[in-house]
Amino acid sequence: MIRTLVLYESRYGSTWEAARIISLILGPSRRIPVSQFTEKHRDYDFIVMGAPIYMGKIHPKLQDFIDREKEWLNEKNIVLFCTCLDGSDGLRVLRKVEDDLGGRVMELGVLGGRLEMDRLTEEDFKTLKEYLSQVGLPTQGMDLFSQDEVVDLALRLIDVRDTLLAKLPMEKLKEEVEGFLKEHNTCTLATSSPGRIRATPLEYHYSQGHLYILSEGGMKFANLLSSSRVSVTVYDEYKDMKSLRGMQISGQALVVEDAAEYQQAVEMRGLEMEFIRSLPVDLKLIRVDMEKVEFLNSKFEKEGYSTRQVLNF
């Protein structure tokens, strides 16, 4: 399991909020200001550091931390992010910090910040007024902070972090995924549309990258008519942390109209079309085309691999 440490420094709260969101999405993680860093935090695998840009420089407390801990940081996988009012200036500063760290930085994230004039100290107001004049920005309050922007960065960082996984060989992982799906037959299908969300327990049959689900109908179809994007979970009952097994599947779902494919899916379930036709209601067929599987299996760690494995179809 890759554990993330989110280190931040914030002046007026925007970077604190960004760090909070990033930590929520990147869990398992720990979020602390740099002033609270201690020896116990040195074991984290993935280090995300963020601070505001102030007068064309990274916050001095984060810069001091980087200068002091450069030897330790040079052995870590690092992400840098900042909040700022001028994106190009923020990127320039982050690239300078990246150069100082010697090439272990995996990603840079530039986020919009806030400027609330009535919260500035007198000294900050005077200094900032001079700086804004130099860079051609108005001396007035600004709110460039976007929660969606922070969420997008955090989701991007999950993909970055996944490159650090001790991965099973692809063929072995596919075999494990398919074996797990074939030994189970019940899933939870999550669908959504504007104003609606639904998670439905259903029986499925797996075949060659697809889940086939027979259903009498229901509210999930209202969502599928709006969006084909779905998430599916299949898992064992929880016993303890040493025997975790479960997966989350992302993909596209469609209602099968083709008669030949419908019949094939029915026969894969061990049923006959004569029986289906004899039922008093129509059975609809949903086919989920799997795109990504995130498989959590404690067994993998015992074999020297990461507990969490990702398979793209």
Side-chain angles (χ1 to χ4, degrees), residues 17-84:
E17 188 172 346
R20 182 184 67 85
I21 294 169
I22 290 170
S23 181
L24 281 171
I25 295 172
L26 282 181
S29 66
R30 173 60 54 85
R31 171 179 53 92
I32 58 169
V34 294
S35 60
Q36 293 182 14
F37 181 84
T38 65
E39 289 298 314
K40 68 181 181 182
H41 297 116
R42 294 189 183 278
D43 292 336
Y44 284 79
D45 313 289
F46 190 54
I47 312 300
V48 179
M49 296 190 293
I53 302 301
Y54 186 70
M55 295 297 293
K57 296 180 181 179
I58 201 79
H59 194 290
K61 287 187 179 181
L62 182 59
Q63 185 63 61
D64 289 346
F65 175 82
I66 291 171
D67 293 341
R68 186 172 65 252
E69 297 291 346
K70 189 171 293 186
E71 183 176 349
W72 172 73
L73 289 169
N74 282 338
E75 299 176 354
K76 295 295 180 178
N77 300 288
I78 299 168
V79 166
L80 296 172
F81 77 91
C82 69
T83 55
C84 59

Side-chain angles (χ1 to χ4, degrees), residues 8-22 31 33 50 52 81 83 145:
Y8 71 94
E9 189 56 55
S10 189
R11 198 173 188 95
Y12 290 104
S14 297
T15 312
W16 171 87
E17 188 172 346
R20 182 184 67 85
I21 294 169
I22 290 170
R31 171 179 53 92
F81 77 91
T83 55
F145 186 86

Side-chain angles (χ1 to χ4, degrees), residues 162 165 167 170 173 177 292-295 308-312:
D162 281 351
L165 293 171
K167 298 179 181 179
M170 192 58 62
L173 177 56
V177 166
K292 180 180 180 181
V293 175
E294 298 165 78
F295 192 11
R308 180 175 176 270
Q309 296 288 322
V310 179
L311 177 64
N312 293 302

Side-chain angles (χ1 to χ4, degrees), residues 25 95 201 224 229 273 293:
I25 295 172
R95 283 177 173 163
L224 290 176
R229 300 292 304 162
M273 286 300 299
V293 175

Side-chain angles (χ1 to χ4, degrees), residues 214-231:
L214 286 170
S215 170
E216 295 178 352
M219 291 176 60
K220 56 187 171 292
F221 287 91
N223 290 342
L224 290 176
L225 290 171
S226 176
S227 172
S228 63
R229 300 292 304 162
V230 297
S231 180

Side-chain angles (χ1 to χ4, degrees), residues 131-145:
Y131 174 72
L132 292 175
S133 177
Q134 292 173 11
V135 298
L137 291 173
T139 308
Q140 63 184 37
M142 287 179 271
D143 187 354
L144 305 180
F145 186 86

